[in-house]
Every structure is written in C-alpha cells, then in structure tokens.
Amino acid sequence: GNSVTQMEGPVTLSEEAFLTINCTYTATGYPSLFWYVQYPGEGLQLLLKATKADDKGSNKGFEATYRKETTSFHLEKGSVQVSDSAVYFCALSKQGGSEKLVFGKGTKLTVNP
Amino acid sequence: DAGVTQSPTHLIKTRGQQVTLRCSPKSGHDTVSWYQQALGQGPQFIFQYYEEEERQRGNFPDRFSGHQFPNYSSELNVNALLLGDSALYLCASSFPGSYVQYFGPGTRLTVT
C-alpha cells in the first residue's frame, strides 16, 4: 500500500540555519504530495503541495520538489526562524483530489534564537 | 470566513463508554474526513463522508462510525472505548476534486 517515510526527529537548529527534512514515499501511480505543519496545540495547516512530477511547491520560504525518479519530496528552507518551530508532516494522496491523506510520522523542529 | 470547527476541545471518558465528536466544515465544503492522531504519530485516516454517505474507510474497526448531516456537518462515534483510543481526533473538509484538505483544531480524547 501507499506509505510515507520521514527522517526521524527531533531536529534542533539555530536561527538562520538551513533546514532539510527528508521525505520519501511508496505509491502506485502518480500521487499528490504535501507538507503539513502542526504548531503546538493546534491542528494541521497545509504548508505546500505538488501534484505532478518535477513540480515545486513553495510557501513562506519553504520549498519542496516532487522527484519521481527518487520518490522523494524533501522540505527545505534557507534560513529558519524561531517561529518555524513546529512538527512537520509529509503526506500523499492518490491522484484526483478528494482522496484520503497518508501521513508520515512527523518531524519535530525546534529553532533556538 | 470560519474555518473547520470541532467540539468539544477536550473529553475524558472511561473504558467501555461511547463518545460522539462533532465537526463543522469550512464554508462551501461538502466533504468531511476524520483522522486519528496518536501521541507522537502522524494522523491515520478513519473515514470520509460525502453527500451523507461514507465514501472511503481506513483500517479501523466497526466501533468507529460516523454520520454526515444535510448541512455537511459530521459526527464521529466511537463505541466500547479502549485505552488505545486515546488520541487527537482531527476533522478535515474539502470540496469535490480538490487536492487540499483543511483541518480543524481537533478534539483531544482521553480514555481512562
């Protein structure tokens, strides 16, 4: 079945450091890929998405590129801020929309001033 | 524009009891999905409702059931609660064909 594997956390960085959170997936066909973020005590917010191979999703300085050849969707940010501290989830859904999301286990990021 | 709302925020129940959680979708959305998020884990899909029918279901026992009302709001019912049902229950809404699901803040269920 479909699955998502994320790098184990927690990840601790200093402000302005470069961030990479690795995500790989297993799926049949051409899934859509997502990064969601969960701030303490809150629900999930969509951070970015990509719906076909080679698409780059971007938002709030975060980027991820859909790489079908390596089945990956790594999250990157050039300069993190304290306010980026949260749990980040990689997820996929089958192509076509309105499909269930399959999530990774999440990676907790802490950014220190 | 109100986002997805869920009630209650927190709930404590005893093993064997039954619980009902509620969700109101974002305005304009008619599809509601429910997820269970255990502590330290990613959300797991329970089921999805569209046009008052269960359209997809994840790998959860029949103790988990749901309902969608004509105004698109939804309920999640869990019978015969187990300690392992303690989790954050998330509701998400979308409109047909959309790739994006919008999540509510969740209901924290504790089973003692």
Tab-separated table of all heavy atoms in Angstrom, chain A residues 32 34 36 38 41-46 49 51 89 93-106, chain B residues 31 35 37 40-45 48 55-58 88 90 94-101 103-105:
chain	number	residue	atom	x	y	z
A	32	SER	N	-0.303	12.804	-5.346
A	32	SER	CA	-0.046	14.187	-4.995
A	32	SER	C	0.695	14.187	-3.664
A	32	SER	O	0.474	13.319	-2.824
A	32	SER	CB	-1.364	14.959	-4.847
A	32	SER	OG	-2.054	15.000	-6.071
A	34	PHE	N	2.338	16.447	-0.235
A	34	PHE	CA	2.030	17.590	0.620
A	34	PHE	C	3.010	17.663	1.790
A	34	PHE	O	3.549	16.642	2.250
A	34	PHE	CB	0.623	17.460	1.219
A	34	PHE	CG	-0.466	17.213	0.221
A	34	PHE	CD1	-0.752	15.932	-0.221
A	34	PHE	CD2	-1.217	18.264	-0.260
A	34	PHE	CE1	-1.758	15.687	-1.142
A	34	PHE	CE2	-2.234	18.044	-1.182
A	34	PHE	CZ	-2.501	16.748	-1.619
A	36	TYR	N	2.469	19.311	5.602
A	36	TYR	CA	1.598	19.976	6.567
A	36	TYR	C	2.446	20.348	7.783
A	36	TYR	O	3.427	19.663	8.116
A	36	TYR	CB	0.455	19.058	7.009
A	36	TYR	CG	-0.713	19.017	6.048
A	36	TYR	CD1	-0.703	18.177	4.943
A	36	TYR	CD2	-1.835	19.817	6.269
A	36	TYR	CE1	-1.787	18.134	4.067
A	36	TYR	CE2	-2.923	19.783	5.399
A	36	TYR	CZ	-2.884	18.941	4.303
A	36	TYR	OH	-3.957	18.903	3.436
A	38	GLN	N	2.187	21.481	12.005
A	38	GLN	CA	1.338	21.500	13.206
A	38	GLN	C	2.060	22.264	14.300
A	38	GLN	O	3.061	21.799	14.847
A	38	GLN	CB	1.019	20.075	13.661
A	38	GLN	CG	-0.001	19.982	14.776
A	38	GLN	CD	-0.398	18.537	15.058
A	38	GLN	OE1	0.411	17.622	14.976
A	38	GLN	NE2	-1.680	18.320	15.399
A	41	GLY	N	-0.401	22.630	20.083
A	41	GLY	CA	-1.785	22.801	20.496
A	41	GLY	C	-2.754	23.101	19.377
A	41	GLY	O	-3.904	23.438	19.645
A	42	GLU	N	-2.316	22.983	18.127
A	42	GLU	CA	-3.193	23.315	17.006
A	42	GLU	C	-3.372	22.131	16.058
A	42	GLU	O	-2.692	21.120	16.163
A	42	GLU	CB	-2.609	24.501	16.236
A	42	GLU	CG	-2.498	25.775	17.070
A	42	GLU	CD	-2.019	26.951	16.237
A	42	GLU	OE1	-2.001	26.853	15.001
A	42	GLU	OE2	-1.656	27.972	16.850
A	43	GLY	N	-4.306	22.283	15.121
A	43	GLY	CA	-4.488	21.285	14.077
A	43	GLY	C	-3.444	21.464	12.992
A	43	GLY	O	-2.503	22.243	13.133
A	44	LEU	N	-3.620	20.745	11.893
A	44	LEU	CA	-2.644	20.792	10.805
A	44	LEU	C	-2.974	21.898	9.817
A	44	LEU	O	-4.141	22.141	9.505
A	44	LEU	CB	-2.624	19.463	10.052
A	44	LEU	CG	-1.827	18.342	10.689
A	44	LEU	CD1	-2.604	17.721	11.816
A	44	LEU	CD2	-1.492	17.279	9.656
A	45	GLN	N	-1.937	22.537	9.321
A	45	GLN	CA	-2.083	23.542	8.271
A	45	GLN	C	-1.286	23.096	7.055
A	45	GLN	O	-0.150	22.655	7.190
A	45	GLN	CB	-1.540	24.895	8.740
A	45	GLN	CG	-2.204	25.477	9.947
A	45	GLN	CD	-1.531	26.771	10.376
A	45	GLN	OE1	-0.889	27.456	9.586
A	45	GLN	NE2	-1.679	27.116	11.649
A	46	LEU	N	-1.889	23.244	5.883
A	46	LEU	CA	-1.153	22.924	4.660
A	46	LEU	C	-0.038	23.944	4.470
A	46	LEU	O	-0.268	25.149	4.474
A	46	LEU	CB	-2.089	22.949	3.457
A	46	LEU	CG	-1.428	22.694	2.114
A	46	LEU	CD1	-0.881	21.275	2.049
A	46	LEU	CD2	-2.398	22.954	0.974
A	49	LYS	N	2.249	22.083	-1.553
A	49	LYS	CA	1.853	20.853	-2.240
A	49	LYS	C	2.460	20.810	-3.640
A	49	LYS	O	2.882	21.834	-4.180
A	49	LYS	CB	0.336	20.755	-2.341
A	49	LYS	CG	-0.292	21.730	-3.329
A	49	LYS	CD	-1.794	21.568	-3.374
A	49	LYS	CE	-2.443	22.357	-4.513
A	49	LYS	NZ	-2.228	23.797	-4.450
A	51	THR	N	1.503	18.398	-7.310
A	51	THR	CA	0.573	17.396	-7.820
A	51	THR	C	1.107	16.590	-8.995
A	51	THR	O	0.452	15.643	-9.438
A	51	THR	CB	-0.757	18.042	-8.215
A	51	THR	OG1	-0.492	19.045	-9.200
A	51	THR	CG2	-1.431	18.676	-7.011
A	89	PHE	N	4.784	17.370	8.797
A	89	PHE	CA	4.324	16.082	8.297
A	89	PHE	C	4.358	16.067	6.777
A	89	PHE	O	3.789	16.955	6.132
A	89	PHE	CB	2.883	15.801	8.746
A	89	PHE	CG	2.717	15.591	10.212
A	89	PHE	CD1	2.393	16.646	11.051
A	89	PHE	CD2	2.884	14.333	10.762
A	89	PHE	CE1	2.228	16.461	12.412
A	89	PHE	CE2	2.725	14.129	12.126
A	89	PHE	CZ	2.404	15.191	12.948
A	93	SER	N	-1.527	11.674	-1.344
A	93	SER	CA	-2.858	11.178	-1.663
A	93	SER	C	-2.838	10.690	-3.103
A	93	SER	O	-1.996	11.104	-3.902
A	93	SER	CB	-3.924	12.262	-1.481
A	93	SER	OG	-3.792	13.261	-2.468
A	94	LYS	N	-3.745	9.813	-3.401
A	94	LYS	CA	-3.862	9.344	-4.771
A	94	LYS	C	-4.235	10.512	-5.661
A	94	LYS	O	-4.869	11.484	-5.216
A	94	LYS	CB	-4.933	8.254	-4.865
A	94	LYS	CG	-4.461	6.913	-4.338
A	94	LYS	CD	-5.611	5.968	-4.071
A	94	LYS	CE	-6.554	5.804	-5.233
A	94	LYS	NZ	-7.623	4.816	-4.932
A	95	GLN	N	-3.862	10.411	-6.918
A	95	GLN	CA	-4.167	11.478	-7.865
A	95	GLN	C	-5.662	11.636	-8.020
A	95	GLN	O	-6.410	10.673	-7.918
A	95	GLN	CB	-3.514	11.104	-9.202
A	95	GLN	CG	-3.085	12.187	-10.155
A	95	GLN	CD	-2.605	13.462	-9.613
A	95	GLN	OE1	-3.395	14.290	-9.167
A	95	GLN	NE2	-1.305	13.684	-9.657
A	96	GLY	N	-6.114	12.852	-8.200
A	96	GLY	CA	-7.524	13.060	-8.483
A	96	GLY	C	-8.257	13.900	-7.472
A	96	GLY	O	-9.380	14.283	-7.688
A	97	GLY	N	-7.667	14.190	-6.387
A	97	GLY	CA	-8.323	15.006	-5.390
A	97	GLY	C	-9.342	14.244	-4.567
A	97	GLY	O	-9.748	13.141	-4.912
A	98	SER	N	-9.752	14.845	-3.439
A	98	SER	CA	-10.750	14.265	-2.536
A	98	SER	C	-10.368	12.877	-2.061
A	98	SER	O	-11.230	12.077	-1.716
A	98	SER	CB	-12.128	14.195	-3.210
A	98	SER	OG	-12.592	15.476	-3.524
A	99	GLU	N	-9.096	12.577	-2.074
A	99	GLU	CA	-8.644	11.270	-1.631
A	99	GLU	C	-8.057	11.368	-0.231
A	99	GLU	O	-7.581	12.418	0.182
A	99	GLU	CB	-7.584	10.721	-2.585
A	99	GLU	CG	-8.114	10.416	-3.969
A	99	GLU	CD	-9.063	9.222	-3.971
A	99	GLU	OE1	-8.960	8.388	-3.059
A	99	GLU	OE2	-9.912	9.155	-4.886
A	100	LYS	N	-8.060	10.240	0.489
A	100	LYS	CA	-7.513	10.242	1.841
A	100	LYS	C	-6.032	10.578	1.815
A	100	LYS	O	-5.324	10.291	0.855
A	100	LYS	CB	-7.719	8.870	2.486
A	100	LYS	CG	-6.894	7.772	1.857
A	100	LYS	CD	-7.097	6.454	2.596
A	100	LYS	CE	-6.195	5.373	2.001
A	100	LYS	NZ	-6.373	4.074	2.689
A	101	LEU	N	-5.581	11.207	2.885
A	101	LEU	CA	-4.171	11.535	3.048
A	101	LEU	C	-3.487	10.426	3.836
A	101	LEU	O	-4.018	9.941	4.833
A	101	LEU	CB	-4.020	12.859	3.787
A	101	LEU	CG	-4.429	14.104	2.995
A	101	LEU	CD1	-4.607	15.289	3.937
A	101	LEU	CD2	-3.382	14.433	1.944
A	102	VAL	N	-2.288	10.056	3.382
A	102	VAL	CA	-1.439	9.107	4.102
A	102	VAL	C	-0.248	9.916	4.622
A	102	VAL	O	0.481	10.524	3.816
A	102	VAL	CB	-0.971	7.970	3.186
A	102	VAL	CG1	-0.002	7.064	3.937
A	102	VAL	CG2	-2.170	7.182	2.659
A	103	PHE	N	-0.049	9.935	5.926
A	103	PHE	CA	0.955	10.787	6.554
A	103	PHE	C	2.186	10.005	6.995
A	103	PHE	O	2.102	8.821	7.356
A	103	PHE	CB	0.379	11.462	7.805
A	103	PHE	CG	-0.600	12.563	7.521
A	103	PHE	CD1	-1.947	12.289	7.379
A	103	PHE	CD2	-0.169	13.878	7.420
A	103	PHE	CE1	-2.859	13.305	7.131
A	103	PHE	CE2	-1.077	14.900	7.166
A	103	PHE	CZ	-2.418	14.611	7.023
A	104	GLY	N	3.316	10.694	7.019
A	104	GLY	CA	4.476	10.197	7.724
A	104	GLY	C	4.305	10.431	9.215
A	104	GLY	O	3.302	11.001	9.659
A	105	LYS	N	5.323	10.032	10.002
A	105	LYS	CA	5.202	10.121	11.454
A	105	LYS	C	5.461	11.516	11.997
A	105	LYS	O	5.213	11.775	13.179
A	105	LYS	CB	6.149	9.117	12.118
A	105	LYS	CG	5.741	7.676	11.885
A	105	LYS	CD	6.623	6.719	12.665
A	105	LYS	CE	6.130	5.285	12.485
A	105	LYS	NZ	6.954	4.320	13.268
A	106	GLY	N	5.963	12.396	11.169
A	106	GLY	CA	6.217	13.763	11.609
A	106	GLY	C	7.643	13.965	12.085
A	106	GLY	O	8.298	13.040	12.578
B	31	THR	N	-17.323	17.834	1.748
B	31	THR	CA	-16.666	16.552	2.025
B	31	THR	C	-15.935	16.655	3.360
B	31	THR	O	-15.187	17.613	3.581
B	31	THR	CB	-15.672	16.207	0.909
B	31	THR	OG1	-16.379	16.144	-0.346
B	31	THR	CG2	-15.008	14.874	1.178
B	35	TYR	N	-9.619	11.840	11.013
B	35	TYR	CA	-8.305	11.227	11.231
B	35	TYR	C	-8.082	11.070	12.732
B	35	TYR	O	-8.522	11.894	13.531
B	35	TYR	CB	-7.193	12.118	10.663
B	35	TYR	CG	-7.202	12.254	9.157
B	35	TYR	CD1	-8.038	13.166	8.519
B	35	TYR	CD2	-6.368	11.482	8.357
B	35	TYR	CE1	-8.059	13.295	7.140
B	35	TYR	CE2	-6.365	11.598	6.972
B	35	TYR	CZ	-7.223	12.512	6.377
B	35	TYR	OH	-7.230	12.625	5.004
B	37	GLN	N	-4.984	10.878	15.483
B	37	GLN	CA	-3.564	11.138	15.661
B	37	GLN	C	-3.150	10.737	17.067
B	37	GLN	O	-3.424	11.451	18.035
B	37	GLN	CB	-3.227	12.605	15.400
B	37	GLN	CG	-1.738	12.887	15.455
B	37	GLN	CD	-1.381	14.340	15.190
B	37	GLN	OE1	-2.229	15.228	15.214
B	37	GLN	NE2	-0.111	14.596	14.914
B	40	GLY	N	2.627	11.581	19.252
B	40	GLY	CA	3.909	11.370	18.599
B	40	GLY	C	3.831	10.692	17.238
B	40	GLY	O	4.872	10.308	16.677
B	41	GLN	N	2.639	10.533	16.709
B	41	GLN	CA	2.459	9.863	15.417
B	41	GLN	C	1.795	10.793	14.400
B	41	GLN	O	1.263	11.841	14.761
B	41	GLN	CB	1.579	8.615	15.588
B	41	GLN	CG	2.141	7.590	16.553
B	41	GLN	CD	3.429	6.990	16.058
B	41	GLN	OE1	3.559	6.619	14.885
B	41	GLN	NE2	4.414	6.906	16.937
B	42	GLY	N	1.822	10.371	13.134
B	42	GLY	CA	1.086	11.098	12.116
B	42	GLY	C	-0.381	10.694	12.141
B	42	GLY	O	-0.740	9.626	12.644
B	43	PRO	N	-1.246	11.549	11.613
B	43	PRO	CA	-2.672	11.215	11.562
B	43	PRO	C	-2.931	9.974	10.719
B	43	PRO	O	-2.277	9.755	9.696
B	43	PRO	CB	-3.300	12.459	10.918
B	43	PRO	CG	-2.325	13.563	11.179
B	43	PRO	CD	-0.979	12.912	11.125
B	44	GLN	N	-3.916	9.183	11.158
B	44	GLN	CA	-4.353	7.994	10.432
B	44	GLN	C	-5.793	8.209	9.969
B	44	GLN	O	-6.648	8.595	10.775
B	44	GLN	CB	-4.294	6.763	11.339
B	44	GLN	CG	-2.900	6.423	11.860
B	44	GLN	CD	-2.017	5.842	10.789
B	44	GLN	OE1	-2.448	5.014	9.994
B	44	GLN	NE2	-0.767	6.279	10.741
B	45	PHE	N	-6.063	7.923	8.707
B	45	PHE	CA	-7.381	8.140	8.107
B	45	PHE	C	-8.391	7.151	8.677
B	45	PHE	O	-8.160	5.936	8.672
B	45	PHE	CB	-7.262	7.982	6.595
B	45	PHE	CG	-8.563	8.066	5.849
B	45	PHE	CD1	-9.177	9.288	5.634
B	45	PHE	CD2	-9.160	6.917	5.342
B	45	PHE	CE1	-10.360	9.376	4.925
B	45	PHE	CE2	-10.339	6.991	4.631
B	45	PHE	CZ	-10.941	8.221	4.423
B	48	GLN	N	-14.284	8.974	5.337
B	48	GLN	CA	-14.653	10.210	4.652
B	48	GLN	C	-16.136	10.164	4.291
B	48	GLN	O	-16.641	9.117	3.850
B	48	GLN	CB	-13.824	10.390	3.377
B	48	GLN	CG	-14.102	11.686	2.630
B	48	GLN	CD	-13.318	11.763	1.331
B	48	GLN	OE1	-13.719	11.228	0.305
B	48	GLN	NE2	-12.177	12.441	1.379
B	55	ARG	N	-17.762	7.399	2.010
B	55	ARG	CA	-17.205	7.192	0.676
B	55	ARG	C	-15.908	6.383	0.705
B	55	ARG	O	-15.620	5.640	-0.223
B	55	ARG	CB	-16.943	8.544	0.023
B	55	ARG	CG	-16.875	8.486	-1.487
B	55	ARG	CD	-16.777	9.847	-2.069
B	55	ARG	NE	-15.400	10.350	-2.017
B	55	ARG	CZ	-14.955	11.323	-2.768
B	55	ARG	NH1	-15.738	11.929	-3.615
B	55	ARG	NH2	-13.718	11.738	-2.654
B	56	GLN	N	-15.117	6.568	1.745
B	56	GLN	CA	-13.874	5.819	1.894
B	56	GLN	C	-13.740	5.476	3.368
B	56	GLN	O	-14.217	6.213	4.224
B	56	GLN	CB	-12.648	6.663	1.498
B	56	GLN	CG	-12.619	7.167	0.079
B	56	GLN	CD	-11.360	7.990	-0.168
B	56	GLN	OE1	-10.237	7.492	-0.069
B	56	GLN	NE2	-11.536	9.258	-0.479
B	57	ARG	N	-13.029	4.382	3.651
B	57	ARG	CA	-12.828	3.985	5.027
B	57	ARG	C	-11.412	3.459	5.192
B	57	ARG	O	-10.914	2.723	4.325
B	57	ARG	CB	-13.828	2.921	5.461
B	57	ARG	CG	-13.777	2.626	6.963
B	57	ARG	CD	-14.834	1.614	7.381
B	57	ARG	NE	-14.763	1.404	8.831
B	57	ARG	CZ	-15.485	2.066	9.723
B	57	ARG	NH1	-16.358	2.967	9.320
B	57	ARG	NH2	-15.358	1.832	11.010
B	58	GLY	N	-10.784	3.832	6.270
B	58	GLY	CA	-9.457	3.328	6.596
B	58	GLY	C	-9.558	2.041	7.393
B	58	GLY	O	-10.632	1.450	7.559
B	88	LEU	N	-5.754	12.452	19.528
B	88	LEU	CA	-6.331	13.687	18.991
B	88	LEU	C	-7.114	13.304	17.738
B	88	LEU	O	-6.571	12.652	16.845
B	88	LEU	CB	-5.222	14.672	18.643
B	88	LEU	CG	-5.648	16.026	18.066
B	88	LEU	CD1	-6.391	16.855	19.112
B	88	LEU	CD2	-4.434	16.801	17.550
B	90	LEU	N	-8.956	14.506	14.465
B	90	LEU	CA	-8.953	15.646	13.562
B	90	LEU	C	-10.016	15.476	12.482
B	90	LEU	O	-10.177	14.397	11.921
B	90	LEU	CB	-7.579	15.783	12.901
B	90	LEU	CG	-6.419	16.095	13.824
B	90	LEU	CD1	-5.096	15.828	13.120
B	90	LEU	CD2	-6.480	17.532	14.286
B	94	SER	N	-13.141	19.527	2.581
B	94	SER	CA	-12.695	19.894	1.245
B	94	SER	C	-13.919	19.949	0.345
B	94	SER	O	-15.010	19.532	0.732
B	94	SER	CB	-11.677	18.889	0.701
B	94	SER	OG	-12.249	17.598	0.640
B	95	PHE	N	-13.729	20.474	-0.856
B	95	PHE	CA	-14.816	20.378	-1.828
B	95	PHE	C	-14.407	19.367	-2.904
B	95	PHE	O	-13.219	19.080	-3.073
B	95	PHE	CB	-15.188	21.740	-2.408
B	95	PHE	CG	-14.057	22.488	-3.043
B	95	PHE	CD1	-13.679	22.263	-4.364
B	95	PHE	CD2	-13.364	23.451	-2.322
B	95	PHE	CE1	-12.639	22.954	-4.939
B	95	PHE	CE2	-12.328	24.160	-2.894
B	95	PHE	CZ	-11.960	23.905	-4.205
B	96	PRO	N	-15.368	18.785	-3.605
B	96	PRO	CA	-15.074	17.676	-4.518
B	96	PRO	C	-13.982	18.007	-5.529
B	96	PRO	O	-13.998	19.064	-6.145
B	96	PRO	CB	-16.416	17.418	-5.215
B	96	PRO	CG	-17.424	17.898	-4.249
B	96	PRO	CD	-16.793	19.084	-3.569
B	97	GLY	N	-13.055	17.061	-5.680
B	97	GLY	CA	-11.996	17.228	-6.664
B	97	GLY	C	-10.835	18.059	-6.194
B	97	GLY	O	-9.814	18.153	-6.887
B	98	SER	N	-10.931	18.653	-4.999
B	98	SER	CA	-9.841	19.482	-4.506
B	98	SER	C	-8.726	18.622	-3.942
B	98	SER	O	-8.969	17.610	-3.298
B	98	SER	CB	-10.348	20.421	-3.418
B	98	SER	OG	-9.265	21.070	-2.780
B	99	TYR	N	-7.503	19.059	-4.147
B	99	TYR	CA	-6.347	18.363	-3.575
B	99	TYR	C	-6.120	18.753	-2.128
B	99	TYR	O	-5.367	18.102	-1.422
B	99	TYR	CB	-5.090	18.716	-4.365
B	99	TYR	CG	-5.081	18.163	-5.760
B	99	TYR	CD1	-5.400	18.967	-6.850
B	99	TYR	CD2	-4.744	16.839	-5.994
B	99	TYR	CE1	-5.388	18.461	-8.135
B	99	TYR	CE2	-4.729	16.327	-7.278
B	99	TYR	CZ	-5.054	17.140	-8.343
B	99	TYR	OH	-5.041	16.627	-9.612
B	100	VAL	N	-6.748	19.822	-1.689
B	100	VAL	CA	-6.419	20.406	-0.389
B	100	VAL	C	-7.498	20.104	0.636
B	100	VAL	O	-8.684	20.312	0.383
B	100	VAL	CB	-6.240	21.933	-0.514
B	100	VAL	CG1	-5.906	22.529	0.844
B	100	VAL	CG2	-5.149	22.244	-1.520
B	101	GLN	N	-7.085	19.602	1.789
B	101	GLN	CA	-7.985	19.411	2.915
B	101	GLN	C	-7.625	20.414	4.013
B	101	GLN	O	-6.451	20.612	4.312
B	101	GLN	CB	-7.880	17.981	3.445
B	101	GLN	CG	-8.334	16.944	2.433
B	101	GLN	CD	-8.357	15.531	2.991
B	101	GLN	OE1	-8.493	15.327	4.186
B	101	GLN	NE2	-8.238	14.543	2.112
B	103	PHE	N	-7.902	21.414	7.935
B	103	PHE	CA	-8.078	20.708	9.199
B	103	PHE	C	-8.605	21.631	10.293
B	103	PHE	O	-8.255	22.813	10.361
B	103	PHE	CB	-6.748	20.109	9.660
B	103	PHE	CG	-6.375	18.862	8.918
B	103	PHE	CD1	-5.795	18.925	7.664
B	103	PHE	CD2	-6.612	17.614	9.479
B	103	PHE	CE1	-5.460	17.778	6.975
B	103	PHE	CE2	-6.277	16.454	8.794
B	103	PHE	CZ	-5.699	16.537	7.540
B	104	GLY	N	-9.416	21.032	11.178
B	104	GLY	CA	-9.824	21.714	12.384
B	104	GLY	C	-8.771	21.537	13.472
B	104	GLY	O	-7.776	20.838	13.279
B	105	PRO	N	-9.013	22.168	14.637
B	105	PRO	CA	-8.030	22.118	15.723
B	105	PRO	C	-7.995	20.780	16.457
B	105	PRO	O	-7.046	20.514	17.195
B	105	PRO	CB	-8.487	23.222	16.657
B	105	PRO	CG	-9.957	23.340	16.397
B	105	PRO	CD	-10.153	23.035	14.959
